[in-house]
Amino acid sequence: MGALAEILFGGLFQGSLYAMMAVGLALVWTTIGVFNFSHGVFMMLGAYFAWQLVEVGLHPAAAFPLAVLATAGVGWLLQAAVVRPLIGRANLVLVVVITTLAAGSLIENGVLEIWGPRSKQLPPLVDGNTMIGSIGVSLHQIAIIVVTPLILGALWMFLTRTRLGLALRAVAQNEDASQLVGLNVTALYGLAFAIAAGLACLAGIFMGGYRFMSPVMGADPLLKALIVVVFGGISSISGPIFAAYLIGFFEAACSYYFGLYWTPALLFAVLILTLMVRPEGIFSSRGRGLA
Amino acid sequence: MTPILTVEGITAGYGRVTVLNDMSLEAGRHGNVGFFGPNGHGKTTLLRVVSGLLRPKAGRIVFDGEDITGKSARAIVGAGLIHVPQGNRIFPDLTIADCMSLGAYSARARPHEAENREKVVALFPKIAERWRQRVRTLSGGERQMVSIGTALMSHPRLLILDEPTLGLAPRIKDELCASVLDISKGGVPLIVVEQDIEFLLELCRQLYLINHGTVATEIKPGESIAHAEIMSMYFGQHQDH
C-alpha cells in the first residue's frame, strides 16, 4: 500500500513538472515547426526572475505572475531575434536548434554573471508538510499537483474555445491558408513562444520551491521534456500531457523498485523502444496540429 | 466601370527562377475574369503575388484604386481581396464551424459574420449538415465548399478562385459550378482560374490565356471564341478534328 501511494504521488508530482515543460515545447513545435532548445533556459530564467522579485520585497503572489509575464516577454524577444528571421529557410529545423542553443547558452552565462553561482531557493507555493497515509509530503508538492492540471486545462480552453486559440491552431495546420484568412502569422509565432516561455517559468517556480536553483537547472528538465514529447508525439499538445504523467509514474516506479541509478537508463530503453515501434509517438497521428 | 484589379508589369518567381515575366492585365471592368492556360505557366504564382503570399521583384498591383504591391497578405485580406488557393488543403483538423469563424477573423469581416454565415449555409446546405465535422473527414467537393465558404465569410469585395473544380467528380463539379455562378449573381466580382473553358465562358465575359509567365491572349467581351481556337492556343497549332 505504501509503495503504491509513494509511486502514485511521485508520479503525479514529476508528471506535473514534465507536463508543464513539455506542453511549451509541443506548442512551439506544432505552431512554428521548430524545436526550442532554449526552453530549459526559459525555465531557469523564470525562476531567477521570480527570486529577484521576491528578493526586492514583493509578495510571491505578485512576484510569481510578474516573473511569468517577464519570461513570456523574453520568449517573444528571443523568437523575434533568433527564430523569425530564419523562417522560410529549407533547413529551418536544424538552424533553429543551433540558434536557440546558442541564445540559451548566452542567457545561461548572463544569469551566472548577474546572479552568481551560489544556489538560491524560492519560497514554496504553500508552506508546510502533511502526511498522506504513511508518506510525508510537502504542501508545495500537493499545490503543484493541483495547480498544474488547472493551468493546462486553462491552456486547453484557450486553444479550443477562443478565437485567438483557434488562430494558433490554424497556423499550426496551414500557414498559407492562415495568411489568406488574414491571420497575423508572425504575431501568432511570437505568442506561441511567449506562452511556452511563461509555462516554462511556472515550471521553474515550481522547481525552485523545493530544490536549489542554479543557472543550469533547466538542462535536465529540457531533456526530460524532449523525452516526453518524443514519447507522446509532438503533433498535438494532449499527447505530451498524457506522456508526461506516464513518464512521471514510470520514473517513480523505477526509482522505487530499481533505484534512482537505473531510472534514466530504463527511461531511455523505453524511449528507444517507442521510437522503434511507433516513431510518431504513442498518442500521436502523423502531421502537425494543436489540440 | 473602373477595373477592380490592375496588374502592371509584374515580374516574380521563386529564388532565382522567374515565373512571371513583366505581366500586365486588368480585371473587373467587364465583370468576372477568367484565367486559363497550361499548367506551370504562372497562373497560381500570379494569384500568390496578388494576395500577398509572394513578393514581386518588379511591377505594381492596384486593388480598387489602392496600391497593394508588397503589402502583407493580412492587409490585403483586410482590404477585401480574398484568395481561395488551389487544392482545398485548408485546415484538416479544424471543424467546418471553426473554419467559418476563421474566415470572419479580419476586422472588416467580423461585423458581417452572422449574415455571411447564413449566406454560406444557404449556398452550401451540404456542409451545413456537417458543421461540427473535421475538414479531413470530408470529401474533396465538400472541402472545396468549405474553402469557398471560408472565403465568403471574409466578406470579399473581390473573390479569387484557383481551380475550384480541380479533381472533382463530374456531378460534384456541376454543383460547385452552379454555386460559383450563384456567388457571382450575388454581386461579388470573381477572378477564376479554370481548366474547364466551357465553365469559364459561362461565368466570365473576359478571359486571359496565360502562357510562359505572361498574357498570351486576351479575349474581350463580345469577342466570340471557338473551342478549336482555344485548343490551338493550348497546343500552339491548329488541330483537325
Side-chain angles (χ1 to χ4, degrees):
Chain A
M1 192 55 218
L4 190 67
E6 204 156 309
I7 290 168
L8 270 177
F9 184 79
L12 273 176
F13 173 63
Q14 286 297 336
S16 304
L17 280 177
Y18 296 162
M20 208 59 143
M21 283 295 282
V23 154
L25 267 189
L27 189 70
V28 166
W29 167 262
T30 45
T31 44
I32 315 183
V34 297
F35 254 122
N36 171 21
F37 272 81
S38 51
H39 199 59
V41 169
F42 287 155
M43 173 186 179
M44 177 273 296
L45 190 65
Y48 273 85
F49 279 163
W51 181 85
Q52 187 61 61
L53 289 167
V54 170
E55 192 66 12
V56 299
L58 248 62
H59 190 273
F64 291 173
L66 274 178
V68 169
L69 284 179
T71 315
V74 172
W76 186 296
L77 288 177
L78 193 107
Q79 178 272 150
V82 304
V83 180
R84 195 188 295 167
L86 303 166
I87 281 172
R89 286 210 184 190
N91 47 1
L92 177 72
V93 176
L94 214 58
V95 174
V96 167
V97 167
I98 304 297
T99 57
T100 52
L101 262 178
S105 169
L106 280 174
I107 295 173
E108 215 168 76
N109 285 293
V111 167
L112 190 63
E113 200 61 37
I114 295 168
W115 282 291
R118 187 170 295 168
S119 298
K120 301 176 172 25
Q121 201 160 18
L122 282 172
L125 295 176
V126 188
D127 246 329
N129 296 293
T130 186
M131 295 292 285
I132 297 180
S134 57
I135 51 170
V137 295
S138 72
L139 291 178
H140 176 69
Q141 285 176 304
I142 292 178
I144 289 172
I145 290 173
V146 174
V147 167
T148 302
L150 292 179
I151 287 168
L152 296 179
L155 177 69
W156 182 264
M157 294 296 276
F158 166 70
L159 286 173
T160 54
R161 298 275 184 275
T162 69
R163 211 184 267 264
L164 197 56
L166 176 62
L168 265 178
R169 285 189 290 141
V171 168
Q173 291 175 35
N174 190 335
E175 206 184 299
D176 269 1
S178 300
Q179 293 202 39
L180 291 176
V181 292
L183 300 186
N184 187 345
V185 174
T186 28
L188 289 167
Y189 282 176
L191 182 68
F193 245 84
I195 293 174
L199 291 170
C201 171
L202 271 177
I205 290 170
F206 290 172
M207 200 147 144
Y210 79 102
R211 247 186 230 169
F212 285 111
M213 296 156 46
S214 79
V216 292
M217 67 187 277
D220 187 56
L222 172 67
L223 188 68
K224 288 288 164 56
L226 279 172
I227 294 175
V228 164
V229 292
V230 171
F231 187 65
I234 31 188
S235 68
S236 68
I237 63 157
S238 52
I241 293 176
F242 291 126
Y245 284 101
L246 257 184
I247 288 200
F249 288 126
F250 180 80
E251 273 199 344
C254 278
S255 18
Y256 189 85
Y257 289 111
F258 306 108
L260 207 56
Y261 185 71
W262 282 103
T263 307
L266 286 166
L267 196 57
F268 276 103
V270 169
L271 180 71
I272 290 167
L273 207 69
T274 311
L275 283 174
M276 276 160 51
V277 181
R278 269 187 78 93
E280 67 273 24
I282 47 172
F283 298 112
S284 178
S285 56
R286 284 167 203 273
R288 271 159 60 186
L290 282 174
Chain B
M1 219 171 134
T2 54
I4 190 158
L5 186 76
T6 315
V7 172
E8 291 172 16
I10 286 290
T11 299
Y14 305 92
R16 259 175 258 163
V17 182
T18 301
V19 180
L20 300 181
N21 210 339
D22 196 20
M23 180 185 270
S24 297
L25 53 82
E26 256 181 28
R29 204 186 276 277
H30 314 287
N32 301 333
V33 174
F35 294 163
F36 67 107
N39 284 326
H41 282 257
K43 299 187 299 293
T44 296
T45 304
L46 172 64
L47 300 190
R48 287 178 65 84
V49 170
V50 167
S51 58
L53 291 178
L54 184 68
R55 250 163 231 271
K57 288 173 187 153
R60 213 164 81 98
I61 296 164
V62 180
F63 172 59
D64 202 21
E66 187 192 351
D67 189 341
I68 57 165
T69 324
K71 286 204 174 174
S72 70
R74 182 161 163 259
I76 291 170
V77 170
L81 192 161
I82 311 298
H83 172 190
V84 179
Q86 196 183 67
N88 60 49
R89 287 182 305 264
I90 34 171
F91 304 108
D93 283 315
L94 296 188
T95 64
I96 297 177
D98 285 341
C99 291
M100 297 307 139
S101 310
L102 274 180
Y105 201 88
S106 73
R108 224 186 112 260
R110 209 158 305 178
H112 307 281
E113 188 171 357
E115 149 209 350
N116 283 330
R117 192 184 291 116
E118 273 173 37
K119 277 189 202 163
V120 172
V121 167
L123 191 66
F124 299 121
K126 245 187 195 164
I127 60 170
E129 290 164 20
R130 302 169 187 257
W131 209 243
R132 296 279 158 203
Q133 222 166 297
R134 280 174 190 243
V135 171
R136 69 160 73 245
T137 64
L138 303 176
S139 73
E142 287 161 346
R143 259 179 292 173
Q144 192 62 57
M145 290 174 194
V146 175
S147 291
I148 297 175
T150 304
L152 289 174
M153 291 300 292
S154 304
H155 208 62
R157 287 166 61 210
L158 171 66
L159 185 61
I160 300 181
L161 304 176
D162 193 355
E163 300 213 27
T165 69
L166 185 73
L168 299 184
R171 199 171 52 82
I172 311 289
K173 187 176 161 181
D174 290 344
E175 261 177 58
L176 205 72
C177 289
S179 303
V180 172
L181 284 169
D182 280 347
I183 294 170
S184 173
K185 276 179 209 139
V188 180
L190 301 174
I191 291 180
V192 182
V193 172
E194 228 346 299
Q195 301 292 359
D196 180 350
I197 310 291
E198 314 283 317
F199 172 46
L200 273 191
L201 287 171
E202 188 179 355
L203 187 68
C204 311
R205 293 176 59 211
Q206 185 184 13
L207 300 184
Y208 286 100
L209 168 67
I210 292 169
N211 204 352
H212 297 300
T214 191
V215 174
T217 308
E218 183 185 352
I219 299 161
K220 294 198 180 76
E223 292 180 5
S224 67
I225 181 152
H227 187 75
E229 237 175 291
I230 289 173
M231 294 310 282
S232 79
M233 286 174 186
Y234 260 88
F235 298 112
Q237 56 185 324
H238 284 280
Q239 309 255 309
D240 297 310
H241 56 235

